[in-house]
Amino acid sequence: MPEASPTPRDLLVVAATRLLDDGGPQNVTLREVGRLTGVSRTAPYRHFASKADLLATVAAGELDRLVDAVERSADDRDPAARLDAAMLGYLRWARERPERFRLVFGHWTEENDDLRQAAARANRALVDLVGEAQSVGGLPTGDPWRLAAAVRAFVHVIAVLEQNGHLLGRDRAPLSAEDLVRSFRPGATG
Amino acid sequence: MPEASPTPRDLLVVAATRLLDDGGPQNVTLREVGRLTGVSRTAPYRHFASKADLLATVAAGELDRLVDAVERSADDRDPAARLDAAMLGYLRWARERPERFRLVFGHWTEENDDLRQAAARANRALVDLVGEAQSVGGLPTGDPWRLAAAVRAFVHVIAVLEQNGHLLGRDRAPLSAEDLVRSFRPGATG
DNA sequence: ACCTGAACACCGTTCAAGT
DNA sequence: ACCTGAACACCGTTCAAGT
């Protein structure tokens, strides 16, 4: 069966994502989003309540894609290596799409059902990965939700630090984000 | 001797900081900064090249204050507790001034000499604290610069995670940022 | 169900001119 | 050394009106 043809709404999201990649949320203007999709500059208001709502929709979609990318990174790995591979996949996604990464975890969006559901899905996927790692002995036992929070915090922090240049040395070699991630060996999480 | 009376430039920075606290960088408009200080809306351009330059100046000043607050937190502590106290001071500063914290480490400013110098001072202060902790056995030996980078990364990450709500659980108790900071016990740092 | 055009209240920035 | 006022090219958002 053929691809469902994209709705006007989908086209607006695609255009907004392009503008986001080009220059961050400030570069996303509803007027330009309209122009890029061949409609007037007020047409986006037929589909989104505001610019913040449009950005929240973009963020929800990108969070889903982040989860997909992380899960693909873990595929085809032996069980012991899956969590490490997933963390490296997260890091790579953040590095290759810095503006989307900042949008997803930043303060540009509004409370929005799409975004809340995407966040819930993302958390569920991570808890599954962590539970799996526990079952093959790659992580200590304990509340998987709590351990997943630690994993998420750790890898997220590394990604943020790398984006903000905190890992760079001026006269010495930069710290490797990948090395830092691979060094993650949590103790008990009582 | 009396306080040096604030220059027009200082007043603009104060007004910008107030607007920043109230609503983030988007809430800082040069027009309103001018109005708050009793000058016209284009007067700020006599002192700053652009809005980004004004924000970079604010960021430089706030980074200095962050360093001051961190050093005050470490004062009057026995040597073994100084580094922990400093990290908790960093955390508290970030929590109490979220907009300034995001500005200092965010992407709203321009390359700017004030900001570069403030960053250099901040790093020097942290390397000193780490060297001191090493000398009393509170941290493993090794390149202090490299270890300082790890400390900075760790505490910064905790602060970011807390601000972004990554430490909250829906049905369970939130992770304590303070507990996480106190759990920082680095191993060898290659 | 989707779009348009005019309008309102804002922005950052430049520039000629003033004291 | 510092400030003003007019102007330009933008914004997000609303609304009456159209198909």
Side-chain angles (χ1 to χ4, degrees), chain A residues 77-83 129-141:
Chain A
R77 298 307 196 108
D78 65 288
R82 280 172 61 82
L83 186 64
L129 265 170
V130 164
E132 194 186 356
Q134 287 178 308
S135 73
V136 300
L139 280 179
T141 57

Side-chain angles (χ1 to χ4, degrees), chain B residues 77-143:
Chain B
R77 296 310 195 107
D78 65 289
R82 280 172 61 82
L83 186 63
D84 265 14
M87 292 172 81
L88 295 176
Y90 185 102
L91 209 62
R92 189 168 48 246
W93 195 91
R95 183 153 50 210
E96 289 172 357
R97 298 157 188 85
E99 293 293 352
R100 303 188 197 188
F101 179 74
R102 275 196 287 273
L103 176 72
V104 168
F105 297 106
H107 291 254
W108 278 91
T109 64
E110 245 170 14
E111 289 291 293
N112 168 302
D113 271 349
D114 284 356
L115 190 50
R116 259 188 299 271
Q117 287 168 22
R121 269 195 302 275
N123 198 47
R124 235 174 295 134
L126 178 60
V127 171
D128 285 352
L129 266 170
V130 164
E132 195 186 354
Q134 287 178 309
S135 73
V136 300
L139 280 179
T141 57
D143 178 357

Side-chain angles (χ1 to χ4, degrees), chain B residues 158-172:
Chain B
I158 303 295
V160 169
L161 289 168
E162 187 182 46
Q163 275 199 6
N164 289 358
H166 281 68
L167 302 185
L168 299 173
R170 260 185 324 291
D171 304 334
R172 40 267 282 186

